[in-house]
Amino acid sequence: MLLIWPHTQLVSYTMDLFETWEDQEIQFDLSISKALKMRNGEKIIDRLEFIEDTKGNSGDKGVLVITNLRAIWHSMTIARISLSIGYNCIQDISTRIVNSRLKGITEAIYIQAKYNGLRYEFVFTNLIPGNTRHFTSFIGVFKAYNSSRLYRELKLRGAILKNGRLRLLMFEKMYSAVNGVWNLSSEQGNLGTFMITNIRLVWYAESNETFNISLPYIHINSIKIRESKFGEVLVIETNGYSGGFTLGFRIDPKDRLRSVTKELSSLFRIHSQAPEFGVHFVTTEQVENNEPITLPTLPNYDEFEDENTIGVSNTLAAYSVSKTGKEDGLPQYDSSIGLAIETLPDGYTMKSLWEVIPSTNNK
């Protein structure tokens, strides 16, 4: 545990709101402008029209946009209906025979996902006869995402070195190696080495290279020099998606500490402008046309921008296949209905459950 004296921050480099939510969350019914807004480093890999969201919007034609971080589906007729499915939430992708309202009995892509303790399933059907590009693109990009996690995840005690040399990732460049760096995770500290690249910061112990940490810049919230019981130390704080850790390192002398901190902060800022997420997949269309796939100019959907028009509970009911992995809650009295009911899971209210029942006025 790093012991830091309060109010003794000497040098600080902070990148606010850099957390990458796009691959970590499932979002429903974002406005089209928000759903299709690409963050820094997010790239469109494929775009397919005439895709039906068979699970939640059967009978509605839509567009499936596949990026290096997530899959986005939005309706072609009602702009406020959309999905954003982060790849980190996906547990399995397969194919399944379904009954599409627009295509009848056909093979569709079937996705199982989990987010915030809830399980979801999504089914997408390609309405163009004989077209299976949604299979190849979606599955191919998801495999590329799974095989490149070191670009995006904090890794402890990983097989990232061989004979004291860092196993470089594709597009990764080594900038410097700094010896004599003390990791202050224990009272006595552990002596080791920094390896600084354009994508991440790596530290490993000199006595045991399997005692290491690989920290991508996208998980760093701040880089600081602060006063501690060990003197001036380098303090790196990570964001919530990586656990919200505070990591401390001592580097002597002070001039060397400041030099390393300056180099790290510079690479941190550069990478935040154009992060490398490590997901690379080339579609057949891109190979044939030799050009990237981009989004077309969006029509004016201002009249549909009210995100509250569709109840979130209705959307959850359409895709959710379970509440949580926990056992049923104990009964409790609800005065609004005068009955004892099972304890509701987080995020649900009695009002939202009633909203799942469609209104007869909308029929």
Side-chain angles (χ1 to χ4, degrees):
M1 177 179 178
L2 177 62
L3 302 178
I4 301 293
W5 298 107
H7 310 300
T8 53
Q9 182 172 300
L10 304 177
V11 180
S12 176
Y13 302 93
T14 305
M15 181 60 65
D16 296 327
L17 301 177
F18 187 56
E19 292 188 353
T20 307
W21 65 267
E22 284 80 1
D23 65 329
Q24 301 289 330
E25 300 180 5
I26 295 176
Q27 293 288 341
F28 299 96
D29 297 333
L30 296 171
S31 66
I32 231 180
S33 58
K34 290 182 179 179
L36 298 178
K37 184 178 180 181
M38 301 292 109
R39 66 160 300 117
N40 290 351
E42 186 175 15
K43 301 175 183 178
I44 298 169
I45 295 176
D46 206 352
R47 180 182 182 275
L48 300 98
E49 296 184 347
F50 301 106
I51 302 295
E52 180 191 52
D53 171 20
T54 308
K55 176 68 176 180
N57 294 282
S58 182
D60 190 3
K61 298 176 182 178
V63 177
L64 183 65
V65 178
I66 299 173
T67 82
N68 54 337
L69 297 177
R70 55 182 170 148
I72 307 162
W73 182 90
H74 67 86
S75 169
M76 296 174 69
T77 55
I78 305 176
R80 63 176 178 258
I81 299 179
S82 68
L83 299 170
S84 176
I85 308 170
Y87 297 143
N88 198 55
C89 302
I90 296 177
Q91 297 182 314
D92 185 57
I93 299 179
S94 59
T95 60
R96 174 174 289 192
I97 301 300
V98 300
N99 187 5
S100 164
R101 184 177 298 180
L102 295 177
K103 198 176 181 181
I105 304 300
T106 186
E107 188 177 28
I109 192 165
Y110 174 69
I111 301 163
Q112 294 174 289
K114 186 176 182 181
Y115 175 59
N116 275 351
L118 297 176
R119 297 183 183 277
Y120 300 93
E121 60 181 20
F122 304 93
V123 179
F124 296 110
T125 301
N126 195 326
L127 301 177
I128 301 176
N131 191 322
T132 60
R133 206 170 93 197
H134 63 312
F135 294 147
T136 56
S137 292
F138 206 143
I139 295 174
V141 173
F142 180 65
K143 287 182 177 178
Y145 178 89
N146 269 338
S147 63
S148 58
R149 292 186 176 272
L150 276 176
Y151 289 86
R152 304 175 307 275
E153 295 183 359
L154 185 153
K155 184 76 172 178
L156 298 173
R157 298 180 181 272
I160 58 176
L161 297 113
K162 184 176 183 180
N163 299 325
R165 300 190 65 176
L166 180 64
R167 295 177 174 177
L168 293 176
L169 306 171
M170 188 179 296
F171 307 112
E172 186 175 26
K173 297 179 182 179
M174 173 73 75
Y175 279 95
S176 59
V178 183
N179 298 316
V181 179
W182 290 89
N183 182 329
L184 306 179
S185 59
S186 61
E187 284 293 329
Q188 73 276 9
N190 292 283
L191 184 62
T193 299
F194 265 164
M195 290 188 172
I196 302 173
T197 80
N198 59 323
I199 292 172
R200 55 182 170 159
L201 168 66
V202 172
W203 178 90
Y204 71 93
E206 289 186 358
S207 59
N208 181 8
E209 68 178 30
T210 62
F211 180 40
N212 57 53
I213 179 172
S214 172
L215 175 60
Y217 296 133
I218 62 172
H219 283 302
I220 294 178
N221 266 0
S222 65
I223 299 172
K224 307 172 183 177
I225 294 177
R226 297 177 65 179
E227 189 66 43
S228 75
K229 62 176 289 186
F230 302 99
E232 290 186 15
V233 297
L234 168 63
V235 178
I236 299 175
E237 296 179 351
T238 71
N239 60 37
Y241 289 120
S242 61
F245 294 107
T246 299
L247 309 174
F249 303 93
R250 177 173 174 174
I251 305 172
D252 295 321
K254 291 182 180 180
D255 288 345
R256 190 161 173 254
L257 169 63
R258 281 165 168 71
S259 175
V260 172
T261 304
K262 185 177 180 180
E263 180 182 13
L264 276 175
S265 64
S266 177
L267 290 170
F268 168 58
R269 291 178 182 277
I270 292 171
H271 191 266
S272 67
Q273 298 302 313
E276 174 55 68
F277 292 112
V279 183
H280 295 274
F281 182 86
V282 180
T283 66
T284 303
E285 180 175 313
Q286 287 173 298
V287 172
E288 293 175 351
N289 299 337
N290 195 29
E291 60 183 21
I293 295 176
T294 58
L295 288 173
T297 302
L298 296 176
N300 185 1
Y301 285 128
D302 289 343
E303 69 242 58
F304 298 115
E305 289 297 300
D306 182 4
E307 297 176 21
N308 296 320
T309 305
I310 296 180
V312 174
S313 60
N314 289 325
T315 307
L316 290 176
Y319 302 98
S320 181
V321 293
S322 69
K323 293 180 180 177
T324 65
K326 302 177 182 178
E327 295 181 357
D328 293 343
L330 295 174
Q332 64 178 7
Y333 179 73
D334 188 295
S335 59
S336 66
I337 59 175
L339 297 172
I341 64 171
E342 176 190 319
T343 303
L344 298 179
D346 293 341
Y348 284 83
T349 64
M350 180 58 67
K351 180 181 177 182
S352 70
L353 291 180
W354 283 109
E355 287 174 352
V356 173
I357 303 175
S359 171
T360 55
N361 295 331
N362 294 332
K363 291 182 179 181

